[in-house]
Amino acid sequence: MTGSIVFINLAGAVALLLWASRMVRTGIERAYGNLLREKLRLAVGHRVTAAIAGFLFAIGLQSATAVALIVSGFVASAYITPAIGIATLLGADLGSAFVARLLRHDLSIFIPILLLMGTVSFRATEARDWRQAGRIFFGLGLLLLSLRLIGEASDPLKTSELLPVVINYLSRDWITAFLLAALMAWLFHSSVASLLLLASLADRHLLAPVLIIPMVLGINFGAAVIAAVLTRNEARDARIVPLGNVAIRGLGTLLALAGQFASPLSPDLFSSHPGDAVVLVHLALNAAVVLLGLPFCGTVARLLDRFLAVPATEAKPLDYRRSALNPDDLSDPRQAINSATREVLTVCDRIELMLVQIFEAYEKPDPRAMERIEMLDDEIDRIHRDIKFYLARISATTLDPATAAECQDLLGATIKLEQAADIIAQNMLTRARKKQARGVAFSSEGWRELSEMHDEVMKNARLAFNLLVNRDVEHARQLVAQKEIVRNLVRVSEEHHLQRLRDGNVASYDSSSIHLDTMRDLKEINSLVVSIAYPVLEGAGMLRASRLR
């Protein structure tokens, strides 16, 4: 077998590993993303519990980077402090290492079972949770299959004439080996995938034992940098968490590399099996980083806060935000529409934050949080106005029919999103204040029903926001199908609410008008976000001309 064929087979197996990991992660995020975010936000009370929560959620999402992005958003929204965010991410790194350890077990017997379960779950029903469960099962099956393919694809390298030369060179140059491993982790955007590939090569004695520790350290350094780069354009507070992880975890890897130069450790101390040694070194390093790094989270957060502080002479207004609406792009309609789409996604982020905070205002009224909801609505109004005028200027140019339709669809989506923001800021916020002023509380059953509706609306909103980018017909069909679920939830809740009134439930009586009005608001918001899917389905010829018979 030629070297090029070996490389293609190995690259294909690695690509399958990366794709399978992404499939599992997206399935979990779509099915349980709202629940995971809420549980994570509630679990991060102090550093130890934050590290434990990060550990568990990295196992669930199979990605410390995903946890880093979520936690950075929490810090930017002032849900948690930067120090707690850094502690959470240190725990997430350990959880990611634990996932790599779990996948080292021989689970090949589960490959056909998981693939079968995934196919059946995905195709048996249109229910979103079942389809996402199918995505998770199928992704796990592909992930395990990819590990087998990596092993099979790397077998011919045992007879390679070039590989021993490269390995011999790297064995004498640990710094280059460290940097190559860091680059691999960055390119894969996954420490788990990088570690499993390294372990597979070590299993077949294609990696010199002396390189195991330097390359594992390099993977950890590269993995720490990923989230820091992905959040480089975010708000200052959001950047502190991944940069704090780089400072603690990155510094830990550099100190460990220096220690390895001074007093080399043999990977045999961790395991006599080279592949297991790779994973156990990784696990031990991250455990040490958690134990030694937790006490310094606060100090690192304060130092980074000072370092990232904007000088007074350069400070921007509090409401300053760089717009994606570049006037220079108007000469190119396609580029201009792409810029407008990016700006619409900013509106989506603000609405998602408003949806989260409005229900917190219902449960625990906070004047500052309510004021922030109003400020977000004002910001959305400004962005909506700018997008509208920008799209009008695009339409003034010569457009082909497809581009003109896309421009019109984007304008329609922007209008619907602005209407949803108005419902939150004008209707729901008024009801939250009324609830506080009257000193009333929902019944436990009523609050549970409203929370279920809110969760469904949040899921649908996120799916609708994704449609603005991927325009996936299958996702559009799922979204429209979910509209009926919210409608049924409203109908059932109305029936139960009336029954509680008949039974003399005092809490239901006191909060009746607020409960019913809130349901209607959620139903209307859901209808607005679901309608974003209609242009996608219409373009695919999947909509009727009229609902009338």
Side-chain angles (χ1 to χ4, degrees):
M1 185 181 296
T2 63
S4 58
I5 297 298
V6 173
F7 176 78
I8 290 173
N9 288 338
L10 185 58
V14 172
L16 181 60
L17 173 62
L18 297 175
W19 181 257
S21 299
R22 182 182 183 278
M23 180 179 290
V24 174
R25 184 174 69 253
T26 55
I28 293 173
E29 288 176 345
R30 291 173 184 173
Y32 312 109
N34 292 336
L35 177 63
L36 289 176
R37 286 181 175 87
E38 182 62 20
K39 294 296 183 183
L40 179 58
R41 187 172 66 83
L42 295 175
V44 289
H46 52 81
R47 295 178 192 179
V48 175
T49 59
I52 295 172
F55 174 84
L56 295 175
F57 280 86
I59 293 175
L61 294 174
Q62 294 197 348
S63 171
T65 301
V67 177
L69 298 179
I70 293 173
V71 172
S72 295
F74 287 166
V75 173
S77 302
Y79 288 141
I80 60 176
T81 64
I84 294 297
I86 294 173
T88 306
L89 194 47
L90 293 180
D93 293 333
L94 182 59
S96 178
F98 187 73
V99 169
R101 180 70 186 109
L102 290 177
L103 294 175
R104 278 292 299 166
H105 293 288
D106 184 9
L107 304 175
S108 57
I109 190 175
F110 294 107
I111 293 175
I113 298 174
L114 289 169
L115 294 176
L116 180 62
M117 289 174 59
T119 302
V120 171
S121 297
F122 193 86
R123 297 180 63 87
T125 176
E126 291 294 322
R128 182 166 62 182
D129 287 347
W130 277 102
R131 292 176 74 86
Q132 297 308 328
R135 179 186 296 274
I136 295 169
F137 290 139
F138 201 84
L140 287 172
L142 290 180
L143 194 153
L144 297 177
L145 178 61
S146 68
L147 295 177
R148 177 196 289 177
L149 293 178
I150 288 174
E152 294 174 355
S154 57
D155 274 336
L157 293 176
K158 293 179 180 179
T159 59
S160 170
E161 297 179 358
L162 178 61
L163 185 63
V165 176
V166 175
I167 295 299
N168 288 335
Y169 172 77
L170 294 177
S171 299
R172 299 189 301 271
D173 187 354
W174 289 356
I175 293 179
T176 300
F178 176 92
L179 294 175
L180 284 175
L183 179 62
M184 178 175 66
W186 162 251
L187 292 175
F188 286 4
H189 269 39
S190 170
S191 61
V192 174
S194 304
L195 257 294
L196 293 176
L197 175 59
L198 201 67
S200 181
L201 295 176
D203 281 336
R204 284 154 178 78
H205 303 285
L206 299 173
L207 185 70
V210 73
L211 285 176
I212 288 178
I213 293 180
M215 295 196 75
V216 169
L217 295 175
I219 287 174
N220 276 271
F221 187 86
V225 173
I226 295 171
V229 174
L230 293 178
T231 58
R232 65 188 182 278
N233 294 323
E234 299 296 329
R236 184 187 68 175
D237 289 345
R239 294 164 58 201
I240 289 177
V241 173
L243 287 175
N245 187 51
V246 172
I248 296 176
R249 188 183 182 192
L251 181 60
T253 59
L254 293 175
L255 291 175
L257 182 63
Q260 186 69 2
F261 273 109
S263 180
L265 287 177
S266 171
D268 291 338
L269 294 174
F270 297 89
S271 175
S272 59
H273 193 287
D276 289 340
V278 169
V279 177
L280 291 176
V281 168
H282 179 57
L283 192 61
L285 173 67
N286 283 279
V289 168
V290 171
L291 293 175
L292 299 176
L294 280 181
F296 299 100
C297 290
T299 302
V300 170
R302 287 191 295 271
L303 291 174
L304 286 171
D305 185 56
R306 293 177 188 172
F307 177 76
L308 296 174
V310 180
T313 56
E314 300 178 15
K316 304 289 193 303
L318 291 177
D319 61 349
Y320 174 83
R321 185 186 60 82
R322 187 181 296 277
S323 173
L325 303 177
N326 186 354
D328 295 337
D329 293 337
L330 289 169
S331 59
D332 182 351
R334 169 50 50 196
Q335 183 62 32
I337 289 177
N338 290 339
S339 298
T341 302
R342 288 171 54 202
E343 196 71 356
V344 174
L345 292 178
T346 300
V347 175
C348 296
D349 290 340
R350 303 301 190 268
I351 290 178
E352 182 175 353
L353 188 56
M354 291 175 71
L355 277 171
V356 172
Q357 292 186 347
I358 189 60
F359 249 55
E360 293 175 351
Y362 268 85
E363 189 173 15
K364 297 179 181 178
D366 180 356
R368 293 181 60 187
M370 293 180 175
E371 183 180 352
R372 175 157 177 76
I373 291 174
E374 292 176 327
M375 292 172 60
L376 287 169
D377 181 51
D378 291 339
E379 183 181 4
I380 288 173
D381 288 340
R382 290 193 298 271
I383 299 174
H384 168 253
R385 179 196 61 208
D386 294 342
I387 293 173
K388 182 171 58 178
F389 292 148
Y390 189 81
L391 290 175
R393 294 173 67 186
I394 298 176
S395 301
T397 64
T398 303
L399 300 177
D400 60 81
T403 305
E406 187 175 350
C407 185
Q408 188 62 38
D409 292 344
L410 194 59
L411 176 60
T414 308
I415 294 173
K416 294 179 178 66
L417 292 171
E418 193 271 338
Q419 291 173 345
D422 285 343
I423 293 172
I424 298 171
Q426 298 174 16
N427 297 359
M428 298 184 72
L429 190 57
T430 299
R431 306 191 208 296
R433 285 175 170 148
K434 187 182 295 185
K435 176 177 176 290
Q436 179 187 19
R438 293 179 179 178
V440 300
F442 295 115
S443 66
S444 58
E445 298 88 349
W447 179 246
R448 184 177 65 252
E449 292 164 4
L450 289 175
S451 298
E452 289 177 0
M453 289 179 222
H454 179 259
D455 289 344
E456 285 297 326
V457 173
M458 288 292 295
K459 290 179 184 177
N460 294 341
R462 291 190 175 109
L463 192 56
F465 300 160
N466 291 338
L467 278 177
L468 293 171
V469 179
N470 60 32
R471 299 184 68 83
D472 186 279
V473 175
E474 180 60 28
H475 289 171
R477 290 182 71 253
Q478 291 180 32
L479 181 58
V480 173
Q482 289 297 115
K483 183 177 181 179
E484 190 64 28
I485 294 177
V486 173
R487 184 180 294 136
N488 289 335
L489 286 173
V490 171
R491 178 180 55 79
V492 172
S493 181
E494 288 175 343
E495 294 173 356
H496 289 172
H497 181 72
L498 290 176
Q499 185 58 48
R500 288 193 293 272
L501 293 179
R502 296 189 191 102
D503 295 340
N505 189 309
V506 176
S508 293
Y509 181 84
D510 292 339
S511 63
S512 180
S513 62
I514 299 176
H515 180 101
L516 295 174
D517 289 341
T518 300
M519 283 195 303
R520 283 193 286 270
D521 290 336
L522 289 173
K523 181 180 178 182
E524 188 172 355
I525 292 171
N526 187 69
S527 296
L528 288 168
V529 298
V530 167
S531 64
I532 293 176
Y534 293 153
V536 178
L537 296 176
E538 185 177 11
M542 300 179 68
L543 282 185
R544 296 174 181 172
S546 172
R547 296 179 63 183
L548 297 175
R549 290 186 175 181

